[in-house]
């Protein structure tokens, strides 16, 4: 079955998951970064203070995702979506309207939690749990919701800022999303929850990822892209300088990365269904590994383009591979618990990575040394994961 047939037969459920992924744009770093200056001014914070506050609320959001995310295994998805949509809109209202800095900061934390954290959790869990034979394609398709936001929203917002203030822009975007969500909440093809809520004091059934050796073996492999790409985004000026390129070339390459995610998602989803998530997990980082080697040996503009295109291809395919791999190893019934744990780990990693890389750069490390460390991390993560991925039991499931 191809993508056209998949959309025709399951457009209701796919629409819900796709809109959840697109709505997450409100809490993504690239979107908030577009308005960093006015938000900092509203909170009365310097750029450095804003960065610290942003990291703190992001880490807190990660802990909350770890705690609340598993509830999608027993809370009806429609109710779950309504709750996080309400939290997202409440956070926007506090951020844009509150007269006190601390409530506005609370609003920023709620936007990060419900946008960057819970909305992708909803979209990926629904697509990964409700589809079986076409799981890879479904996950690849809905992940394009985030890519659509990354490609379209920055130029659209920049153009509208000529006529509207940043707060009016947020309200307009929220109103547009709200109309779409009302239509889906009333008429969408919402599935039922797969399980029942644990009774107070009752131990949860299902996997406990942090107590499973296999999860720890796979985690470095799945963390490589979030950690390394966050470092490349945050320290883009230093990277281009040390590689002998320019920020203008980086800006063009960043657009190329957004476009590269599309074939990464569509082809990755198709290959997950054909080859299986285990085989794909063993090779999907190859484009980024080659990009790191090219950046280290050639450098210059070509190195920057290689990093962005290789990273884009790998990032585009990761969601369908990671979620399908979780289902393959632990089953779909408890996917909410598994995805919440993985999402929280990603939030922690992306929150800590800039600080660690910043310390290394302050100590005098050249960015080529940073790239070498990224390559070593990639090879190490791949090697650790082979204990699980190469297991005959897993490959034969």
């Amino acid at each position: 079955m191809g993508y056209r047939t998949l959309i025709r037969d399951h457009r209701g459920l796919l629409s819900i998951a796709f809109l959840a992924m697109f709505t997450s744009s409100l809490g993504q770093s690239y979107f908030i970064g577009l308005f960093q200056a006015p938000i900092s001014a509203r909170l009365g914070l310097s750029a450095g203070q804003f960065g610290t506050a942003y990291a703190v609320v992001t880490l807190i959001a990660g802990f909350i995702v770890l705690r609340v995310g598993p509830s999608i295994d027993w809370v009806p998805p429609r109710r779950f979506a309504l709750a996080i949509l309400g939290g997202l809109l409440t956070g926007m209202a506090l951020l844009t309207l509150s007269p006190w800095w601390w409530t506005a900061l609370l609003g920023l934390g709620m936007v990060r939690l419900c946008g960057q954290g819970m909305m992708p959790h909803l979209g990926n869990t629904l697509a990964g749990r409700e589809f079986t034979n076409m799981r890879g394609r479904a996950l690849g398709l809905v992940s394009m919701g985030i890519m659509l936001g990354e490609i379209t929203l920055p130029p659209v917002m920049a153009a509208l800022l000529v006529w509207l203030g940043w707060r009016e822009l947020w309200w307009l975007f929220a109103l547009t999303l709200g109309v779409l969500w009302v239509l889906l909440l009333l008429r969408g093809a919402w599935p039922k929850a797969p399980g029942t809520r644990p009774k107070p004091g009752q131990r949860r059934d299902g996997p406990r990822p942090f107590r499973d050796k296999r999860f720890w073996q796979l985690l470095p492999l799945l963390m490589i892209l979030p950690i390394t790409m966050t470092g490349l985004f945050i320290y883009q000026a230093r990277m281009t300088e040390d590689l002998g390129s320019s920020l203008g070339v980086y800006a063009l390459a960043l657009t190329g990365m957004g476009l590269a995610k599309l074939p990464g998602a569509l082809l990755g989803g198709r290959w997950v269904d054909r080859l299986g998530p285990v085989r794909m997990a063993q090779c999907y980082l190859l484009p980024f590994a080659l990009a790191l080697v090219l950046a280290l040996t050639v450098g210059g503009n070509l190195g920057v383009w290689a990093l962005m295109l290789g990273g884009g291809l790998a990032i585009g395919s990761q969601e369908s591979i990671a979620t399908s791999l979780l289902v393959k190893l632990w089953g779909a019934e408890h996917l909410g618990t598994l995805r919440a744990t993985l999402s929280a780990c990603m939030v922690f990693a992306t929150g800590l990575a800039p600080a660690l890389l910043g310390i290394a750069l302050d100590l005098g490390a050249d960015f080529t040394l940073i790239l070498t460390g990224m390559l070593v991390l990639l090879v190490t993560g791949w090697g650790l994961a082979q204990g699980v991925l190469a297991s005959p039991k897993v490959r034969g499931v």
Side-chain angles (χ1 to χ4, degrees), residues 16 18 34 39 48-49 63 120 143 150 167 177 182 186 208 235 249 252-253 270 273 290 292 314 327 335 367 392:
I16 295 171
F18 185 90
L34 295 172
I39 292 177
Q49 291 171 331
F63 281 109
S143 69
E150 291 175 340
R167 289 185 291 187
L177 292 174
V182 167
L186 294 177
R208 311 186 82 179
Y235 298 108
V249 171
L252 292 174
R270 183 183 295 273
D273 291 336
L290 294 176
L292 286 169
V327 173
L335 183 58
F367 211 89

Side-chain angles (χ1 to χ4, degrees), residues 34-57:
L34 295 172
F35 308 98
Q36 180 268 323
I39 292 177
S40 296
R42 171 158 176 72
L43 296 174
L45 301 175
S46 67
Q49 291 171 331
F50 177 83
T52 301
Y54 188 76
V56 170
V57 299

Side-chain angles (χ1 to χ4, degrees), residues 78-96:
R78 189 202 301 261
R79 188 186 305 169
F80 189 90
L82 185 60
I84 60 177
L85 182 63
L88 180 61
L89 295 178
T90 300
M92 287 185 58
L94 289 174
L95 178 61
T96 58

Side-chain angles (χ1 to χ4, degrees), residues 97-118:
L97 298 174
S98 175
W100 302 289
W101 70 268
W102 59 272
T103 50
L105 187 60
L106 173 63
L108 177 63
M110 293 178 68
V111 168
R112 287 288 284 163
L113 168 65
C114 297
Q116 190 255 1
M118 300 304 289

Side-chain angles (χ1 to χ4, degrees), residues 159-390:
L160 291 177
L161 277 172
V162 176
W163 295 284
L164 300 173
W166 75 274
R167 289 185 291 187
E168 289 77 13
L169 260 182
W170 279 55
W171 299 337
L172 177 62
F173 191 25
L175 178 62
T176 304
L177 292 174
V179 171
L180 296 175
W181 273 110
V182 167
L183 294 175
L184 285 182
L185 288 168
L186 294 177
R187 304 181 61 181
W190 293 90
K192 296 180 180 179
T196 56
R197 182 185 184 123
K199 296 179 181 179
Q202 178 185 356
R203 180 180 175 180
R204 292 179 186 172
D205 295 329
R208 311 186 82 179
F210 285 142
R211 298 188 180 184
D212 194 321
K213 179 182 177 182
R214 295 176 300 171
F215 182 80
W216 288 107
Q217 287 178 278
L218 291 172
L219 191 59
L221 180 76
L222 301 177
M223 291 293 101
I224 289 166
L225 283 175
I227 292 173
T228 55
M229 295 308 293
T230 298
L232 298 184
F233 295 153
I234 297 297
Y235 298 108
Q236 54 188 264
R238 182 66 180 271
M239 176 187 69
T240 53
E241 179 184 352
D242 289 355
L243 289 181
S245 184
S246 67
L247 287 176
V249 171
Y250 170 83
L252 292 174
L254 193 61
T255 302
M257 185 195 74
L259 296 175
K261 288 181 181 180
L262 300 179
L266 295 177
L267 293 175
R270 183 183 295 273
W271 291 339
V272 164
D273 291 336
R274 289 187 177 181
L275 303 176
V278 174
R279 289 185 180 178
M280 288 300 298
Q282 290 179 314
C283 64
Y284 83 102
L285 286 176
L286 184 58
F288 188 56
L290 294 176
L292 286 169
V293 172
L294 194 60
L296 287 168
T297 55
V298 178
N301 297 340
L302 182 60
V304 172
W305 272 97
L307 289 171
M308 294 298 105
L309 294 179
L313 288 170
I315 291 172
S317 63
Q318 171 152 317
E319 234 13 292
S320 58
I321 294 170
T323 301
S324 298
L325 189 60
L326 295 177
V327 173
K328 178 131 182 136
L329 292 171
W330 289 282
E333 183 180 356
H334 302 284
L335 183 58
T337 298
L338 296 163
R339 275 220 53 87
T341 307
L342 181 60
S343 298
C345 291
M346 288 187 177
V347 170
F348 298 149
T350 55
L352 294 175
L356 296 177
L357 293 181
I359 292 173
L361 292 172
D362 287 344
L363 291 175
D366 189 271
F367 211 89
T368 54
L369 181 61
I370 300 293
L371 294 176
T372 302
M374 290 178 177
L375 183 59
V376 171
L377 177 65
L378 189 154
V379 174
T380 302
W382 184 87
L384 289 173
Q386 297 315 299
V388 178
L389 300 177

